[in-house]
Amino acid sequence: MKSDEEELMPRLLPVEEYDVEDFDPTVPPRNPQEYLRQVQLEASMCPEVMVAQIDPKKLKKNQTVNISLLGCQPAPEGFSPSLKWQQLQVANFSDVRQNVNKHREHWKLQSLDNNVVMPNPEDEEGWKKFCLGEKVYFDRLLSQDEDENENENPGIDYVKVGFPPLLSIVSRLSQASVTSVLEYLMNWLGEKDFTSELGRWLYALLACLEKPLLPEAHSLIRQLARRCSEVRASLESKEDKRLSALNLLICLVARYFEQNDLADKE
């Protein structure tokens, strides 16, 4: 080793002097001294400065995460839930998360039905159709022929109505996939209306998110709460069937995931 390198990095273990020409680094070391010689020789052949060869195409897109600190829109009078209701929902949600974590490995090993084909993690439109169903995705009603056909064959066509977030399905999602699907459905909610199919998947994905949250997930759930508050503010009646689900999602983001600035106040 060079003398200046020895001054900067003093030896921690004594290594006997040896003749480099007589030392064969390709032969496996037979004792600790030969192993240290081999390490020393390899280190001496390394360049002083290493430069990593990075392929920009492999870098994940949108790495910068901007977290907005804007709060939720206030609920119209009489539309927000009580603190007691919120606390009850948080307790129930905590139990659901514990059950998901407890049985995740079991359900991950269960075989899926033949009609369940999970999209690739990068297939945004595929996941929207998978979760919401073709009827919601294409925003259409059943034709008369389709309606008559369904009456003759009463079995549920999940391709049309959307696959429910069964444990056997969501347990197969990695944390990266959970975040991706949540982002896809948030993109949908930003442009479309809130539906029961969407609500059940958002709840299930929140139940699968691991704490502490990654920055991407943190940003997404805050967007979710704000968007739900916008939809709630547009409701005309407290009897709207979407109100309870919207309140629940806002509550979970604010109270369970500790985004307290988004919480409904009594």
Side-chain angles (χ1 to χ4, degrees):
M1 297 178 67
K2 298 179 182 179
S3 59
D4 57 343
E5 292 175 345
E6 290 181 352
E7 292 178 1
L8 291 173
M9 297 185 297
R11 297 180 182 181
L12 296 179
L13 295 173
V15 181
E16 297 178 356
E17 297 296 332
Y18 64 94
D19 188 347
V20 177
E21 295 182 356
D22 295 336
F23 181 70
D24 186 358
T26 62
V27 177
R30 294 168 296 182
N31 54 55
Q33 283 294 330
E34 290 188 358
Y35 171 75
L36 292 175
R37 291 172 187 167
Q38 188 171 349
V39 172
Q40 189 182 57
L41 181 61
E42 291 177 354
S44 67
M45 293 187 294
C46 292
E48 295 183 5
V49 178
M50 296 290 293
V51 179
Q53 300 298 323
I54 300 176
D55 184 359
K57 296 180 181 179
K58 294 183 179 180
L59 295 177
K60 184 179 179 180
K61 296 180 179 178
N62 301 324
Q63 294 188 72
T64 302
V65 178
N66 297 316
I67 299 177
S68 174
L69 298 179
L70 296 178
C72 289
Q73 289 194 20
E77 184 176 355
F79 281 57
S80 62
S82 66
L83 179 59
K84 183 177 180 180
W85 182 90
Q86 295 180 64
Q87 292 171 338
L88 177 61
Q89 303 310 315
V90 169
N92 292 338
F93 183 67
S94 180
D95 291 339
V96 169
R97 283 174 60 89
Q98 290 180 16
N99 287 327
V100 170
N101 291 330
K102 181 179 179 181
H103 301 292
R104 186 188 301 273
E105 292 303 320
H106 166 76
W107 285 107
K108 189 186 299 185
L109 299 176
Q110 303 303 306
S111 59
L112 298 174
D113 292 340
N114 294 332
N115 65 329
V116 182
V117 181
M118 296 174 63
N120 293 325
E122 300 81 12
D123 186 1
E124 178 171 350
E125 300 308 311
W127 273 106
K128 290 176 181 176
K129 284 186 281 188
F130 182 86
C131 299
L132 306 176
E134 291 183 348
K135 288 195 296 183
V136 172
Y137 181 83
F138 292 111
D139 192 20
R140 66 183 178 87
L141 299 175
L142 291 176
S143 66
Q144 182 176 356
D145 291 340
E146 289 175 318
D147 193 22
E148 293 176 354
N149 185 50
E150 285 201 351
N151 291 332
E152 295 174 0
N153 303 285
I156 300 176
D157 187 349
Y158 289 113
V159 173
K160 292 181 180 178
V161 302
F163 289 89
L166 303 173
L167 279 173
S168 56
I169 294 177
V170 296
S171 294
R172 286 173 159 78
L173 298 177
S174 65
Q175 281 301 293
S177 296
V178 170
T179 303
S180 294
V181 177
L182 182 59
E183 181 180 3
Y184 301 155
L185 297 183
M186 274 302 306
N187 292 341
W188 175 273
L189 182 57
E191 302 173 355
K192 305 288 185 177
D193 197 7
F194 185 89
T195 64
S196 58
E197 294 86 358
L198 178 60
R200 65 189 181 187
W201 265 98
L202 291 172
Y203 183 93
L205 293 171
L206 289 179
C208 294
L209 275 181
E210 295 180 359
K211 297 174 72 174
L213 296 175
L214 296 173
E216 294 87 351
H218 180 263
S219 176
L220 284 171
I221 65 171
R222 289 184 63 85
Q223 291 178 43
L224 171 60
R226 288 196 299 271
R227 177 55 182 153
C228 286
S229 73
E230 293 171 0
V231 177
R232 182 179 63 181
S234 69
L235 301 181
E236 299 179 355
S237 169
K238 291 187 290 186
E239 304 304 319
D240 194 304
K241 61 182 181 180
R242 295 171 293 174
L243 178 59
S244 180
L246 292 168
N247 280 337
L248 176 58
L249 292 172
I250 296 171
C251 167
L252 296 180
V253 170
R255 301 291 183 180
Y256 184 85
F257 291 102
E258 301 174 315
Q259 306 302 306
N260 297 319
D261 59 307
L262 304 179
D264 286 313
K265 308 298 191 296
E266 280 194 303

